[in-house]
Amino acid sequence: MSYVATMARINPAEVERIADLARLELAPDEVERMTAELEAILGYVAALEQLDTTGVEPTLFARLVATPMRDDVAAPPLDPEAAVANAPERSGSAFVVPKVLEEDES
Amino acid sequence: MSARLQPHANYEVVIGLEVHVHLRTDSKLFSPAPVRYGDPPNHDTHPIDLGMPGVLPVLNRRVVELGVRAALATHCKVHPQSIFARKNYFYPDLPKGYQISQYEDPLATGGWLEIDVAGYDAPVRVGLTRIHIEEDAGKSIHDTAIAGEAGSHVDLNRAGVPLLEIVSEPDLRSPEEAAAYLRKLRELLRWADVSDADMEKGQFRCDANLSLRRHGATELGTRTELKNLNSFRFVEEALYAEIARQAELLDGGGRVVQATMHYEPARRTTRVMRLKENADDYRYFPDPDLLPLRIADADIEAVRRALPELPDDRRARFESEYALSEYDARLLTESRALADFYEAAATESSAPKVVANWMLRDVLAQLKERECEIDATQLTPIALAKLIALVENGRVTAASARPLVAALIEHGGDPEALVRERGLEAVSDTGMLESAADEAIAAHPDIAAQIRGGDPKGLNFLMGQVMKRTQGKANPKAVREILARKLEA
Amino acid sequence: MAGDRFATAVALRADLDAGRVSSLTLVEAALARAEAAAGLGAFVHLQPERAHADAIESDQRRARGDLRSPLDGIPVAIKDLMVQLGEPCTCASRILEGFVAPYQGTAAAKLREAGAVIVGRTNMDEFAMGSSNEHSIYGVARNPWDPARTPGGSSGGSAAAVAAGIVPIAFGSDTGGSIRQPASHCGVVGMKPSYGRVSRYGLVAFASSLDQIGPFARTASDCALALAAIAGHDAADSTSLPEAVPDYAAALNGDVSGLVIGLPREYFAEGADPAVVECVREAVAELERAGAKTREVSLPHTSYAIATYYLIATAEASSNLARYDGVRFGRRAQARTLGEMYRRTRSEGFGAEVKRRILLGTYVLSAGYYDAYYRKAMQVRTLLRRDFEEAFRGCDLIATPTAPEVAFRIGEKTADPLKMYLSDIYTVSANLAGIPGLSLPCGFVNGLPVGLQLLGRALDEATLLRVADAYQRRTSWHEQHPTPSWERPT
Ligand SMILES: [Mg+2]
Ligand SMILES: [Zn+2]
């Protein structure tokens, strides 16, 4: 692959796009502040660019190699009452959420 | 090979399918909660399925085994290492805010299966891009009759149910081929005990990618994705509707926009559900709660050895071992249950070819009428073989035996006892047959005279008359002999 | 008699065994001290009913003579991100307001199996994101040595609870230094075990590939008992190591002769407060006098550790924190539509630091940046891991300062997130490499404790505990305690 990794500067529009992906709502002054802070942090991490990592295997885990597996044995499920006991809103044993409106679908 | 169907005069249709299939397991992919259908909301969950703070996934070994089985049955290469990745998006029925799936390193890649399409004189080979393991989401219930006007209900019983996602190459050229592919894949997965693949239970679900291009063009057109085509009928209808929509757009000089489409069966049209944009930034990354899935060659070989004989192999063997035509062998291998039944009955019988005829003519007709599978009936292979033996030995006539197939399917039982109970034994009593023959000759002197005059055309008619007088129980061979003797020229 | 508030678990066990005190008395005293120390902000939730019942059961076991472990009947505290069946678990976040866990976490289960009595849940930075315990909906936790200063973080409450003599043992979690740095600032022993040594099932995730639960205590020998109680393979955590747990208490033989201590050049180069470095060097000299050898080693990629850490930790966190959506548990904001519910719930429920990290992590994983940031960070992680492998070829353990300075003032760094992140400069590498690390008190600068960090080979917690114990046998820093100026007169 000839893809060259580059670390970009971040701007308020980008911060808003990211906030949207993360389902966070930022007030205009928050966007401004976050942009500045993230820019400082990204500026700091840009130091990694100097490091040549060609051919270096990424480490996901320090020591572990293969995921363990369990036998296919079903255990009794959680009591439905316990399953929904923490729900902010419920109806019987179902969780209740506000309706999805068209404006949500983007 | 004969030409493949061309659904549109101006455009070549290009279809690729993504199938999600529930695996036949007792517990979920990453939790020990039971996999059950039809329970009230949130009755089959574990804190892991609810995405409770602090929970962690542990992989179900059976899922891997079934995944490998599906991969081998579809000629895929199983990778010694695959990686679970998180697909991040927000939806109420996705409890963790991400789905554990596989992305860059799937379980298996590069397979194929051959599909039979009505009217084609040879099967079409369809490529399989990949098979990966992932977890199902729960269900959002928007139905206002259940959830009311203001809200939706969320039921997480299905959350965490193990799925295989099976992705085909864009090798399909018509809705008919797409339907044939789905039928074949579904049967294969059932055959290999990978899944029950019951579409009504949502165990076998299909998304389709469809694009059009001018005949002869080599580049693919812009495709749209049709979501949740959950019956074979809908698949064909929806694809035809989308072909019509795209063709009309292109004919009018417009262009197709990448989108997710929804099929409305009532209006037989497709409409845009969602355009592909920012929302599709799923931020996949390897799930740090799970390590790479390692599968040893020896384990793959063990699954291969345990694999049942697959339909294509079985068909070929039926042709050679039981001297069946390709057509008959194909019909008898449409499901594993049917093939197993046939083979068991054929082994019991001294006349496997005759067994095949009874299966294809009588048994299949009954199954079709009852809309059920062979293993859901009371009929056993031994009973069928016995019934056929009674006919072959002249103990009962074929005409008397036929209605017994329905009875055996319905209530089971021993054919011999049934024949006795119903008094269906073939009549070989010469005295009785002689007098019935005399009566028939006396009642139709003109025909008798014709035969005596050397024209045997009426013989079958007279035989029928004798059968009628004996309620069909007369041994046809004996009747023929008696009539022939009495009407000798 | 509750006796000395600074008595170790080992001493309390002797008292219990001798019948000088009951578990119920110890537990009541701990609860009373916790109440009186409300001003420290160390605890966010006390659980007197459960604790009383557990203590009574422990006393009954003792009477019957079937004790479960050396910790049976000893009061302990856990950080507010360790799940305990039937108790709240909020991670000091508004978004988990009201949440009561419907299942038992493995660490809590193991503590119960050991007979330890959990008296309450300790303060922390929200979702363990912070180095000062200032980002908590319950307010700051304070340093018992100087209540105007932070105890460090994110496990600030656990460190403060042990330093203040409320409980002899507490548990926290360490993702980039969140046990060791507060242990250093509060003058107690804190240990981050090797990745996979302690089950994460029931530990609310911040960064899954880095998080570990670990103990705080005032002595290495108490720390050994506490680690033994929670360590071990757990089938419910796929990243848990299937390795046998050695007898840590038995490893404490006081003998360090012949051990080679590596001193990483990069950690002593610059940036740290010279007075802190001086304490650390003197501690190393003490170990040399005890028979250990030292040699300089190099961890050449150290300067990249913080950047690597923040990319990996925030990426994982952005995904781990997606489940807080107001659907199944926790606090939901008023909303008309689903989209509004998500945005408001998460915006109102998470504090500024959590949001900052979610944004950074989302950015790092988002289309087009994955290779530049996340994949790159995972590669540098490999280099950091190899640095340690290489260094451990020439030494048995590594000694460094735990933190570049002593406890800082509350509010001193909140305005500059990056400056706060640099507090973890000496600790994050151990998380990235998956190796164990321990901080123990080794002196004072301006009346505030200084921590010596010991790093070991993966799974070799025993050597770290042995060295720390040997040091404490020869020194008395761990016997110095803050004056309980925070106590309200009752
Ligand atoms: Mg897909
Ligand atoms: Zn899928």
Side-chain angles (χ1 to χ4, degrees), chain C residues 115-431:
Chain C
V117 181
I118 300 169
V119 297
R121 307 178 63 80
T122 56
N123 206 348
M124 57 184 283
D125 284 298
E126 184 180 2
F127 283 105
M129 296 178 183
S131 307
S132 65
N133 211 130
E134 291 167 289
H135 309 291
S136 162
I137 44 158
Y138 303 103
V140 299
R142 293 174 184 278
N143 193 316
W145 292 92
D146 176 358
R149 291 174 187 266
T150 85
S154 66
S155 311
S158 291
V162 172
I166 299 170
V167 282
I169 289 168
F171 295 86
S173 68
D174 189 315
T175 305
S178 278
I179 290 173
R180 291 159 288 158
Q181 184 254 24
S184 171
H185 287 353
C186 292
V188 298
V189 181
M191 177 172 231
K192 180 203 91 74
S194 312
Y195 186 78
R197 180 55 104 184
V198 177
S199 172
R200 293 187 298 116
Y201 190 76
L203 165 65
V204 179
F206 160 16
S208 313
S209 75
L210 303 165
D211 296 342
Q212 272 290 289
I213 293 175
F216 290 90
R218 286 183 294 267
T219 62
S221 51
D222 274 12
C223 193
L225 295 182
L227 178 61
I230 57 168
H233 179 247
D234 178 16
D237 174 0
S238 299
T239 63
S240 162
L241 290 168
E243 315 282 340
V245 180
D247 184 341
Y248 295 125
L252 309 182
N253 59 10
D255 183 10
V256 297
S257 53
L259 277 180
V260 180
I261 301 174
L263 303 173
R265 188 181 309 141
E266 296 78 7
Y267 283 59
F268 290 92
E270 56 194 58
D273 177 346
V276 166
V277 173
E278 191 44 45
C279 286
V280 170
R281 287 203 184 277
E282 175 47 35
V284 171
E286 182 62 42
L287 288 168
E288 280 182 310
R289 288 191 285 277
K293 297 185 173 61
T294 60
R295 59 171 291 189
E296 192 180 73
V297 296
S298 177
L299 299 167
H301 295 94
T302 298
S303 62
Y304 300 104
I306 290 276
T308 304
Y309 169 79
Y310 274 90
L311 291 175
I312 292 172
T314 58
E316 292 180 9
S318 72
S319 175
N320 283 333
L321 270 61
R323 71 189 60 196
Y324 307 104
D325 56 9
V327 176
R328 288 146 292 124
F329 46 75
R331 183 180 177 280
R332 177 192 292 185
Q334 284 294 320
R336 207 171 32 86
T337 71
L338 186 66
E340 210 173 84
M341 182 196 79
Y342 276 124
R343 288 183 176 81
R344 289 201 182 153
T345 295
R346 291 170 58 79
S347 303
E348 294 171 15
F350 291 134
E353 181 59 28
V354 173
K355 283 192 243 187
R356 188 179 297 121
R357 297 200 196 191
I358 290 175
L359 287 174
L360 180 59
T362 304
Y363 180 77
V364 161
L365 290 176
S366 73
Y369 298 112
Y370 181 88
D371 286 329
Y373 290 110
Y374 192 70
R375 191 185 300 279
K376 181 87 180 184
M378 301 292 263
Q379 288 175 313
V380 181
R381 187 173 186 179
T382 304
L383 300 176
L384 284 156
R385 188 165 52 81
R386 287 185 194 155
D387 281 358
F388 280 102
E389 283 167 8
E390 190 55 41
F392 282 125
R393 274 192 248 282
C395 63
D396 298 304
L397 71 158
I398 286 170
T400 79
T402 306
E405 55 188 6
V406 292
F408 47 90
R409 277 193 186 73
I410 291 168
E412 193 178 322
K413 294 187 181 184
T414 39
D416 186 350
L418 193 53
K419 202 166 155 197
M420 186 79 91
Y421 295 174
L422 294 173
S423 310
D424 298 330
I425 192 144
Y426 299 137
T427 47
V428 293
S429 293
N431 301 80

Side-chain angles (χ1 to χ4, degrees), chain B residues 18 20 87 99 101 132 134 163 165:
Chain B
E18 271 177 34
H20 285 90
K87 178 182 184 179
Q99 178 195 32
S101 180
H132 72 245
E134 63 185 22
L163 287 172
E165 181 176 318

Side-chain angles (χ1 to χ4, degrees), chain A residues 17 20-23 60-61 64-67 69-72 74-75 77-78 80 83-84 91 93-97 99-100 106, chain B residues 25-28 31-32 34 41-43 45 58-61 90 142 150-154 278-279 281 286 288 290-292:
Chain A
R17 182 183 78 85
D20 185 54
L21 268 178
R23 297 294 185 274
L60 276 95
F61 299 96
L64 300 144
V65 280
T67 207
M69 295 186 231
R70 45 168 264 271
D71 291 335
D72 179 30
L78 190 62
V84 297
S91 168
S93 64
F95 299 104
V96 177
V97 294
K99 263 240 166 343
V100 192
S106 59
Chain B
T25 61
D26 291 334
S27 65
K28 293 188 178 178
S31 96
N42 301 310
H43 277 53
T45 69
V58 181
L59 181 60
N60 182 338
R61 177 180 289 114
F90 288 93
H142 305 301
S152 300
H153 283 187
V154 178
N278 193 20
D281 188 345
L290 292 158
L291 311 174

